[in-house]
Amino acid sequence: MDFLNAMVVLANFVVIPALAYGAQLALGALGVTLVYGLLRFSNFAHGDTMAFGTMVTILATWGLQAAGIGFGPLPTALLALPVGIAGTALFALATDRAVYRFYRKNRAAPIIMTMASLGVMFVMNGVVRFVIGVDDISFADGERFLVTARDFRDATGLDEGLAIRMTQIITLVVAGVAMALLFWFLNRTRTGKSMRAFADNEDLARLSGINPERVVRLTWIIVAALATTAGVLYGLDKSFKAFTYFQLLLPIFAAAVVGGLGSPLGAVAGGFLIAFSEVGITYAWKKVATYVLPEALAPDGLAQLLSTDYKFAVSFALLVLVLLVRPTGLFRGKSV
Amino acid sequence: MMRNVLLFALVAALFILTGALQSWNSALGILNMAVISAIMAIGLNMQWGYAGLFNVGVMGFAALGGLGVVLTSTSPVQGAMAAGGWRILGALIFAVAVIVLARILWLRTTGKIRYWLLAACLIVGAIIFRIIFDAGVEGVESIRPTLEGNIGGLGLPVLLAWPVGAILAAGAAWAIGKTALGLRSDYLAIATLGIAEIILSVMRNEEWMSRGVKNVIGLPRPVPYEVNLQQDPDFVAWVVRHGFDPVTASSIVVKLCYLGLFGLVLAGIMLLAELALRSPWGRMMRAIRDNEIAASAMGKDVKARHLQIFIIGSAVIGLAGAMMTTLDAQLTPSSYQPLRYTFLIWVMVIVGGSGNNWGAMLGGFIIWWLWVMVEPIGTAALSTLTDALSDGWLKAHLQDGVAHIRLLTMGVILLLVLRFNPRGLLPER
């Protein structure tokens, strides 16, 4: 019984939150890794792309809510998501046209493109703050819980409850669908294969008649879709705040590097790895330990390895470890 | 040459105009921060302009400089060392010993066992460290928590804190450079981005050290206080004789004193940087930047030189950070934001001209002036624009949003300069 209780506590406070957070990070890292693999630079504007997409989605959500359209027990934001993706894709394509294309044509060094992405980051950040402000915005509506802690306790007779929030389940489902679509697209369709060919060897791909501008446009559209989805899921799960999204850049980059920059599978693995380490290291293990360990061994303190304020330190430490031990990442990404 | 003089004259005109139209007090205030920004930009320019290192952790190094001021110049808190200060010190020494041991284990062993040894060493070390450290922290933080609750500093003169801030930043740069240099250039960017966030979260949370979000206020100043000047009859008589208001005059005099100090530092750093850039060492750095393979074929140790310039540049940024904290007379860890402290400095270097110290300095002055002035200019422009609008939601929203225009402006300036004038206002010679 104690063991079951311990498992429930673990699932409630570590496994489920980390799964949801990991899925959000993985979607973000997929965007970073695709830009890196196909456009060959580290996109520092990615966090703000997520914020931009979420902003458009929030505006659309408000519009739907004002029109009285809801999505039953699910958050209205899911209905608004396509609008957000479309808006972000348009913005990303416009940015590419106005900024990145010039450097691509001149075959500028990747670092110059990265620098340009800093400029784009400033602009996007400014736009988001200008349009929607800097405050915390909570836009989740519909049912809050799929299973509440009390229902779970009543149903199972255990001491500990397991609460599953609607947003967590939605995150997992939506992220799973998005990833499945992406991998299907990259591995099975002709266009996806042409994109991978372009990533492997740009010159060879051009020689085989692949239109580079088309690949680039597709990449931006996919990246915008991934970023918006990641941003909206994160915002539903926690809340929307422009600055938080900027700060997500670090765990997202860490996930992409840990998995291996340029490797989509690595990005997903990296996202979950970072999320589980972050949640696991900053979680206070006291409750789990008191259930599992004999009474004499039960900890006095919170048994928390690091305070939650240091969650960035966890992704950073993993990043440094990977850089030291295996710089190409777990899944052997590529280097420029 | 003509271009340089003209551009610097333009900057001078900007500040004089601000002084004449607004007030000399605020013009000097902007100028002081501009000098500090220029020093940060010169430090970053050493890394990017001389060596092509992409450091996006400027904020962290500047904050470490500020921490240096607190640890050096505040007076020690009574009884803090006895209550746990020694314990904390011991724990930190222990942590360093564990890391050294882990490194030795890693180098001396091979095969699967090295991973296990490394993990065991770090985990056991971390647990022992927490046991020593936590009790010490509790002791220190329980001393008059509303006023102090930290270990205080050494009580040394505040000017000594500036080099200390530089050394702290240099130490962090050494650690990060050892890990990330020699890998791909973007890895350094990501690593510095991370270290900056971590330095700030340490400063926000380790109350025994920097009082965290409770801030350290009332740091000692290297210049006289306005109040003392206003009470000094000689000073008052002197300013009244020249027809000034004593309150304004005292504030201006204090700012001028700071300006003198900062100007001296700027001049010193500029002199050293220019001498270094023209020396054989400077030529070697540029040779490495332009072609690493050729330079290493000529027998230059590229990685060591990169580490060296990374440390020097970060030390300069740390020095500027210490100066800034001294100017503010307080350390507020929650006020450090990457857009303001990292990316704005980048805009300065790019706009000014990367690889040229004078360019970086010019960029520091112009961009800081713009950063401060965009908001009032934007407000004025917007209020003329929105005059026609009737009072309502849209007007209020636009007026709220004007505060964020500066980010937009900086982004657009950066993109335009990168595209149309990538070598900056004062290109590298």
Side-chain angles (χ1 to χ4, degrees):
Chain A
M1 211 55 169
D2 273 357
F3 181 72
L4 273 183
N5 272 323
M7 286 300 109
V8 170
V9 174
L10 197 66
N12 197 13
F13 291 105
V14 177
V15 178
I16 294 176
L19 271 179
Y21 181 46
Q24 292 147 9
L25 283 187
L27 286 177
L30 274 173
V32 166
T33 230
L34 282 181
V35 172
Y36 189 84
L38 286 139
L39 308 173
R40 297 181 167 78
F41 69 97
S42 304
N43 183 11
F44 275 79
H46 198 75
D48 288 297
T49 311
M50 282 166 63
F52 184 88
T54 317
M55 176 196 78
V56 179
T57 311
I58 292 177
L59 294 179
T61 309
W62 286 345
L64 287 174
Q65 283 168 346
I69 302 170
F71 201 11
L74 299 174
T76 320
L78 284 186
L79 277 183
L81 187 60
V83 183
I85 290 176
T88 316
L90 283 180
F91 196 98
L93 288 174
T95 329
D96 185 71
R97 187 68 196 267
V99 181
Y100 298 122
R101 197 173 72 159
F102 171 78
Y103 301 105
R104 197 165 52 241
K105 288 265 185 289
N106 291 354
R107 300 227 160 194
I111 203 79
I112 303 298
M113 309 258 290
T114 304
M115 199 80 80
S117 81
L118 291 186
V120 174
M121 177 192 83
F122 261 112
V123 172
M124 284 189 128
N125 205 301
V127 168
V128 170
R129 288 177 190 216
F130 186 79
V131 173
I132 210 161
V134 289
D135 303 325
D136 249 320
I137 296 168
S138 174
F139 59 100
D141 53 3
E143 292 286 336
R144 260 180 69 69
F145 287 99
L146 189 69
V147 179
T148 63
R150 174 191 297 243
D151 288 347
F152 183 84
R153 270 198 299 266
D154 293 346
T156 58
L158 289 171
D159 293 338
E160 295 296 334
L162 178 70
I164 301 179
R165 289 213 312 273
M166 205 66 183
T167 52
Q168 293 169 328
I169 292 300
I170 290 171
T171 297
L172 287 175
V173 172
V174 172
V177 170
M179 285 176 209
L181 273 178
L182 179 70
F183 283 108
W184 170 79
F185 174 76
L186 286 180
N187 292 322
R188 293 273 183 273
T189 63
R190 208 180 146 77
T191 325
K193 282 180 189 162
S194 73
M195 282 175 73
R196 287 195 302 148
F198 186 83
D200 282 344
N201 189 330
E202 191 179 332
D203 293 327
L204 205 56
R206 279 168 191 267
L207 278 178
S208 338
I210 292 171
N211 178 0
E213 284 305 309
R214 180 160 171 266
V215 170
V216 168
R217 276 199 302 274
L218 267 173
T219 309
W220 279 119
I221 293 172
I222 295 173
V223 166
L226 287 168
T228 310
T229 314
V232 170
L233 292 176
Y234 185 87
L236 282 174
D237 199 16
K238 278 114 186 167
S239 70
F240 173 79
K241 194 177 179 190
F243 185 61
T244 323
Y245 278 63
F246 170 78
Q247 284 191 317
L248 276 180
L249 205 57
L250 181 62
I252 284 176
F253 263 114
V257 172
V258 166
L261 269 174
S263 151
L265 205 59
V268 175
F272 283 107
L273 187 66
I274 295 280
F276 271 91
S277 333
E278 210 171 88
V279 176
I281 287 177
T282 54
Y283 174 63
W285 288 88
K286 181 184 168 77
K287 218 169 180 183
V288 177
T290 29
Y291 275 122
V292 179
L293 297 174
E295 225 160 281
L297 280 176
D300 300 327
L302 289 169
Q304 185 183 23
L305 291 173
L306 264 184
S307 96
T308 40
D309 304 308
Y310 289 131
K311 57 177 194 226
F312 291 121
V314 179
S315 32
F316 183 73
L318 271 176
L319 177 77
V320 167
L321 205 67
V322 167
L323 288 188
L324 285 175
V325 179
R326 193 174 167 135
T328 46
L330 299 175
F331 283 74
R332 291 267 176 247
K334 52 162 135 204
S335 0
V336 169
Chain B
M1 198 58 214
M2 200 54 210
R3 186 186 165 94
N4 296 9
V5 175
L6 265 177
L7 280 166
F8 274 101
L10 177 81
V11 171
L14 280 181
F15 280 93
I16 291 171
L17 213 66
T18 316
L21 291 180
Q22 267 192 337
S23 75
W24 291 101
N25 212 343
S26 64
L28 277 174
I30 301 171
L31 186 58
N32 274 335
M33 271 309 285
V35 173
I36 292 173
S37 303
I39 295 176
M40 283 188 192
I42 291 173
L44 186 62
N45 180 43
M46 292 176 179
Q47 299 174 334
W48 171 245
Y50 298 11
L53 301 177
F54 195 45
N55 171 13
V56 279
V58 177
M59 167 182 78
F61 298 115
L64 274 179
L67 181 66
V69 176
V70 171
L71 293 183
T72 314
S73 72
T74 52
S75 44
V77 171
Q78 287 289 314
M81 284 320 268
W86 294 115
R87 253 188 117 100
I88 293 177
L89 207 62
L92 293 179
I93 293 170
F94 175 78
V96 173
V98 168
I99 292 170
V100 172
L101 180 69
R103 171 113 183 117
I104 292 172
L105 282 176
W106 180 255
L107 292 178
R108 291 283 164 83
T109 51
T110 47
K112 279 248 157 68
I113 186 112
R114 77 197 299 204
Y115 292 97
W116 292 108
L117 273 176
L118 185 74
C121 171
L122 290 179
I123 292 171
V124 172
I127 293 172
I128 301 178
F129 169 78
R130 284 293 294 267
I131 293 173
I132 312 177
F133 184 74
D134 286 359
V137 169
E138 211 168 295
V140 171
E141 288 182 358
S142 61
I143 307 171
R144 294 183 296 278
T146 46
L147 289 174
E148 283 149 352
N150 65 339
I151 51 172
L154 299 170
L156 296 171
V158 69
L159 286 182
L160 267 181
W162 296 1
V164 171
I167 290 170
L168 279 181
W174 176 79
I176 198 73
K178 269 287 191 196
T179 340
L181 284 174
L183 296 169
R184 241 190 7 239
S185 53
D186 339 32
Y187 280 176
L188 181 70
I190 299 166
T192 44
L193 186 77
I195 196 81
E197 284 298 337
I198 288 172
I199 289 170
L200 261 299
S201 57
V202 167
M203 283 174 57
R204 275 193 285 261
N205 294 298
E206 297 302 318
E207 296 190 351
W208 59 271
M209 185 171 71
S210 56
R211 296 199 77 224
V213 287
K214 293 193 264 180
N215 304 337
V216 181
I217 50 169
L219 291 172
R221 290 168 35 158
V223 297
Y225 284 86
E226 286 91 344
V227 186
N228 296 352
L229 281 181
Q230 286 159 25
Q231 284 163 356
D232 181 0
D234 292 341
F235 175 80
V236 174
W238 183 72
V239 292
V240 169
R241 196 165 61 240
H242 289 82
F244 293 111
D245 166 42
V247 176
T248 324
S250 67
S251 162
I252 286 180
V253 166
V254 167
K255 288 206 172 74
L256 282 173
C257 290
Y258 271 124
L259 187 62
L261 278 174
F262 294 164
L264 272 180
V265 176
L266 178 64
I269 287 178
M270 200 63 198
L271 182 70
L272 290 176
E274 279 294 289
L275 286 178
L277 197 60
R278 283 153 202 251
S279 68
W281 180 86
R283 285 196 293 278
M284 173 180 66
M285 291 318 281
R286 276 173 289 164
I288 290 176
R289 180 196 61 193
D290 292 339
N291 192 336
E292 287 186 18
I293 297 166
S296 66
M298 302 293 290
K300 307 297 177 198
D301 187 346
V302 173
K303 205 177 160 187
R305 292 286 81 73
H306 274 174
L307 185 62
Q308 185 185 31
I309 194 71
F310 187 63
I311 292 176
I312 296 175
S314 302
V316 171
I317 295 170
L319 180 75
M323 288 160 61
M324 188 180 68
T325 305
T326 311
L327 177 67
D328 292 342
Q330 57 179 347
L331 181 69
T332 47
S334 48
S335 68
Y336 287 85
Q337 294 216 345
L339 284 173
R340 150 76 181 86
Y341 285 94
T342 298
F343 297 112
L344 191 65
I345 309 295
W346 267 102
V347 178
M348 291 171 184
V349 173
I350 302 290
V351 169
S354 40
N356 185 337
N357 291 317
W358 294 101
M361 182 171 134
L362 180 81
F365 281 112
I366 293 187
I367 295 296
W368 180 255
W369 185 86
L370 262 179
W371 177 255
V372 177
M373 298 310 280
V374 158
E375 212 175 311
I377 293 174
T379 316
L382 205 73
S383 65
T384 18
L385 277 176
T386 51
D387 253 357
L389 287 174
S390 56
D391 283 337
W393 173 82
L394 186 65
K395 188 172 178 177
H397 185 77
L398 284 176
Q399 280 169 351
D400 282 346
V402 79
H404 309 302
I405 283 187
R406 39 160 71 158
L407 291 175
L408 210 67
T409 323
M410 290 302 144
V412 171
I413 290 176
L414 178 63
L415 287 175
L416 288 178
V417 170
L418 264 184
R419 168 88 184 248
F420 296 107
N421 191 8
R423 302 181 66 209
L425 289 173
L426 296 182
E428 185 183 356
R429 278 181 298 272

